[in-house]
Amino acid sequence: MTKLKIISALLSVLIFGLTSHVSAGILLQENFEDGNFSTRGWYDNATPKLSSLEHIPNSLKSLEFHFAKGAVTPDSTGSSMRKKFLETDSLYLSYYVKHSASWVGSGGTYHPHIFYFLTNKDTDWTGPAYTHLTLYLEELGGKPQILIQDGVNVDLANIGKNLTGVSEKRAVAGCNGDSDGLGNGDCYANGSVYWNGKTLWKSGTDLFSSTAGPSYKGDWHLVEAYVKMNSIVNGAAVKDGVLQYWYDGKSVLNSTTVVFRTGQYPDMKFNQLLIGPYIGVGSPVDQSMWIDNLTVSNAVPTQLAPPQNLRIISP
C-alpha cells in the first residue's frame, strides 16, 4: 500500500470518528433485522411485525406498528415487547422513527404511550401503569413528551398532603405533594388505591409535523433521551435527577432538578424496557409508525475529539 493510500485510510477513520459516537456501556441493542427476538432476550410479545419496505439506510427491516381505525393496540401486538438489562442509575435511549402520512396519534389530550422503562422494584411482568416507577417516552400531537408514574409509592393515608421534607415514604409523581418544585402531578382514585402521573416535560414545538420540511413526520428522525436517577443523601431525596431529549441532534428538553426516587428506595434502578404503543381511546384513523436501530446504554455517547496537528505528507 502506498503512503497516499495509507494516509487516505487514516483520514477516513478520523473523519468517521468526528461524526460518530464513542460507545458507552451498551445495555441493549436491537436493529430489528430478523424475527428471532426470543433468542435475544425479548419476552411477553416476541413476535412483533417487521417491515422490509420501511427502514433506514443500510438496514434491512424495521419494527412496524400499524393501528387499524378504532384499534387500541397495533396489529399482532396484544402485549408489549419486554427486555431486561443490567440495573443502572442512568440510561440513554436512541432510535429512529418514521410515521405514515395519516399519523395523528390519539387525536386527544393523552396517548399514545410508546416506550416504558421500569425498575428493579417491580417484577418481570408488572403492568406499567401502577408501579414503583414507570418512565414513559412518547409523542402527543406531534410533540415529544416524557412522563412518570409511581402509584405503588402513594401514601394512601395522606392523599393531597405535601409530604416533601416530612417523609420519604411518599410518591413523587402525584398524590403526596411536589417533590422537586416542578409540579404536583395528577392524582386519581382507581378502586381502592390511587394512581398518579407527572407530565411536565414536553416540547412546545411540533417535531413530527404534517408539513413537508425538516420536521416532516413521514421522514426518518433520530430521537435520543437521557435520564439519570436523583441522588439520595443522608436518607433523603436530592433534587438533582436529569431528564434530557434530543431530536435529530438538537436539544429539546433539559431538566436537571427532577426527583425520581426517595429515601424509601435508595437502590431503585432501571432494568427493563417495554415497547408497546397504546391508544386507550382507540386509534382515530388507520395509521402506522416504524422504529429502527434502537440502543439503550448507561451514558450519553461522547464525540471523539478532533485530531490535533494533522498533516498530509505527499508520497
Side-chain angles (χ1 to χ4, degrees):
M1 183 181 289
T2 66
K3 288 183 179 180
L4 183 58
K5 288 182 178 179
I6 293 173
I7 292 169
S8 296
L10 289 172
L11 282 173
S12 296
V13 172
L14 289 168
I15 292 170
F16 177 78
L18 293 177
T19 57
S20 301
H21 290 303
V22 176
S23 296
I26 301 297
L27 301 170
L28 183 163
Q29 198 160 32
E30 179 59 66
N31 294 334
F32 308 107
E33 298 292 71
D34 61 63
N36 300 322
F37 290 99
S38 59
T39 63
R40 294 193 291 275
W42 292 94
Y43 65 103
D44 202 354
N45 174 26
T47 57
K49 187 176 181 180
L50 299 179
S51 171
S52 58
L53 297 177
E54 298 288 354
H55 53 80
I56 63 173
N58 300 317
S59 172
L60 299 176
K61 296 179 182 179
S62 69
L63 180 63
E64 177 175 299
F65 292 116
H66 168 252
F67 284 90
K69 184 176 181 180
V72 173
T73 57
D75 299 348
S76 71
T77 312
S79 55
S80 298
M81 298 176 62
R82 298 175 185 247
K83 189 170 182 180
K84 300 289 290 294
F85 50 83
L86 292 176
E87 297 179 359
T88 179
D89 280 311
S90 59
L91 60 84
Y92 163 85
L93 169 70
S94 70
Y95 62 92
Y96 289 87
V97 62
K98 179 179 180 178
H99 306 78
S100 63
S102 61
W103 182 266
V104 294
S106 69
T109 58
Y110 55 90
H111 291 179
H113 296 321
I114 302 175
F115 295 99
Y116 321 66
F117 283 98
L118 275 63
T119 74
N120 57 0
K121 296 305 173 185
D122 291 296
T123 71
D124 292 358
W125 298 92
T126 298
Y130 186 68
T131 67
H132 290 82
L133 179 67
T134 301
L135 176 82
Y136 298 77
L137 289 99
E138 56 191 46
E139 307 162 12
L140 177 63
K143 298 176 174 63
Q145 67 176 16
I146 302 176
L147 58 143
I148 59 173
Q149 289 182 298
D150 67 336
V152 172
N153 300 335
V154 172
D155 183 341
L156 297 175
N158 289 286
I159 298 297
K161 296 181 181 179
N162 188 359
L163 299 182
T164 304
V166 177
S167 172
E168 291 298 293
K169 293 183 178 181
R170 68 181 195 275
V172 301
C175 295
N176 293 150
D178 184 356
S179 290
D180 44 28
L182 300 174
N184 286 317
D186 294 324
C187 180
Y188 50 97
N190 188 353
S192 61
V193 297
Y194 275 76
W195 288 17
N196 62 13
K198 202 162 185 174
T199 314
L200 301 171
W201 305 280
K202 59 185 69 177
S203 169
T205 304
D206 187 348
L207 296 181
F208 300 101
S209 172
S210 298
T211 304
S215 299
Y216 179 51
K217 62 188 177 184
D219 294 328
W220 284 102
H221 296 284
L222 174 62
V223 170
E224 301 169 275
Y226 175 72
V227 180
K228 182 176 174 56
M229 288 282 192
N230 60 284
S231 305
I232 304 296
V233 176
N234 296 325
V238 178
K239 302 175 184 179
D240 64 356
V242 177
L243 189 156
Q244 299 171 318
Y245 186 105
W246 297 267
Y247 173 89
D248 288 340
K250 297 179 180 178
S251 177
V252 175
L253 303 174
N254 184 17
S255 187
T256 58
T257 59
V258 184
V259 171
F260 295 106
R261 62 185 176 184
T262 69
Q264 183 177 15
Y265 300 111
D267 58 343
M268 178 185 285
K269 296 183 179 182
F270 297 107
N271 74 338
Q272 183 181 166
L273 169 66
L274 280 72
I275 307 177
Y278 175 79
I279 301 176
V281 296
S283 180
V285 298
D286 187 283
Q287 56 184 338
S288 298
M289 69 181 300
W290 299 271
I291 304 293
D292 209 351
N293 284 27
L294 179 146
T295 298
V296 177
S297 64
N298 59 14
V300 179
T302 55
Q303 296 282 336
L304 283 173
Q308 301 295 318
N309 302 317
L310 179 64
R311 293 182 298 165
I312 296 178
I313 305 173
S314 60

